[in-house]
Amino acid sequence: MAAHSAARAYHIGQPGAKWGPAEVAQWRSERVKSRSYEDDVVKALDPLRASFDVVEYGTITYDGPIAHALYAVKTKDWDGAKPSVLVTGGVHGYETSGVHGALRFLATDALAYAARGLNVVVAPCVSPWGYEHIQRWNPDAVDPNRSFKRGDAAACGSQEAAGLVRLLESCGVARWACHVDLHETTDTDETEFRAKAARDGEDSEPGTIPDGFYLCGDEQNPRLDFQRAVNAGVAEVTHIAPADPDGTIIGSPVVDDGVILYDYAALGLCGGVTNAKFTTTTEVYPDSPKATDELCNLGQVAAIKSALDFLLASM
């Protein structure tokens, strides 16, 4: 009985049993819309239309009915001969500064990088329903950030991932130069992962939440000099997370200050959706007593700018 005590702490489903359609339906019925994708994201794109190409790259539809148009912002005069960079936010909709950091970058800095010779495309909110309901998952209780398959939209495990893959295919880029995927680690992650354990019929193991910003690089392409440069830029805005006493952050070994590694492709992470030379996944901690919403947004912008500055310096 003790083996399932942690899983039992979640109120949906039976300990040790994976969720079926009834449990997913119950979970979805309990989600509450708390903010507006249309007001916060779509309307924020209108002032950008004079300077960028705003592209509707798909529609997310679920029973309910639930429907959201997906938008990306591209620099004008796209030139396949230039290095192309991708910024993604809101893959986990509840990670707010990923969305608003991407929008802030578009409003303040993206044109300057286009002037320095880069093609830039930004998908500021990959998971609109997750944004509105402040949820990690989509309405099918699927984590979009475990469902990506590079170059194969049909093989993606979520509409959100498939839509982004089709967007990238439409860009006609043979080789991407850089991808920055904007995320947060929050105090609510423990609740989210307890739900995940219940959904999968597994036990939930409590973890620690790091106090500060850190990066998840790609285990297959770590580029620690690049990760180090991104963290250095962010450190001018907000603090970098220290390692836990065992030398880990969220259970993964720290390979450089504020850097851990995941196998992007094996886990289906958005960070692996391109073949870019330089990739990183940011993790802001908005619940720190040292943080504010503004600092989190600025930290995301600093990460993007530091990544692109490193790219340009390396060319």
Side-chain angles (χ1 to χ4, degrees), residues 4-19 22-32 135 137 190-200 202 204:
H4 296 301
S5 60
R8 189 178 288 114
Y10 202 76
H11 66 285
I12 296 174
Q14 297 299 315
K18 294 182 179 181
W19 288 3
E23 288 78 17
V24 171
Q26 179 184 348
W27 175 85
R28 188 196 295 186
S29 72
E30 294 176 1
R31 302 310 102 192
V32 176
Q135 293 297 309
W137 294 341
E190 280 299 303
T191 300
E192 298 288 335
F193 284 106
R194 191 161 66 248
K196 176 184 180 297
R199 182 199 65 184
D200 297 342
E202 299 173 350
S204 177

Side-chain angles (χ1 to χ4, degrees), residues 84-88 121 148-151 164-165 168-169 173-180 218 221 264-265 269-280:
S84 299
V85 301
L86 171 66
V87 176
T88 46
V121 59
F148 284 87
K149 182 70 174 178
R150 181 193 303 171
L164 186 65
V165 169
L168 300 184
E169 291 171 347
V173 176
R175 178 77 184 185
W176 290 85
C178 183
H179 177 199
V180 183
D218 186 358
N221 181 37
Y264 283 2
L269 303 185
C270 181
V273 75
T274 72
N275 57 3
K277 180 178 181 179
F278 299 114
T279 59
T280 196

Side-chain angles (χ1 to χ4, degrees), residues 68-151:
H68 294 290
L70 298 169
Y71 294 94
V73 179
K74 297 174 64 178
T75 48
K76 290 182 179 292
D77 303 318
W78 191 274
D79 181 353
K82 295 178 180 178
S84 299
V85 301
L86 171 66
V87 176
T88 46
V91 175
H92 287 145
Y94 75 133
E95 296 172 4
T96 305
S97 71
V99 176
H100 293 283
L103 292 171
R104 177 72 66 90
F105 170 73
L106 283 166
T108 59
D109 295 288
L111 280 179
Y113 285 98
R116 294 171 69 184
L118 299 178
N119 296 321
V120 181
V121 59
V122 179
C125 189
V126 174
S127 298
W129 184 89
Y131 177 81
E132 290 196 327
H133 292 77
I134 315 182
Q135 293 297 309
R136 182 181 184 89
W137 294 341
N138 68 17
D140 287 339
V142 170
D143 185 341
N145 203 38
R146 298 296 185 275
S147 66
F148 284 87
K149 182 70 174 178
R150 181 193 303 171

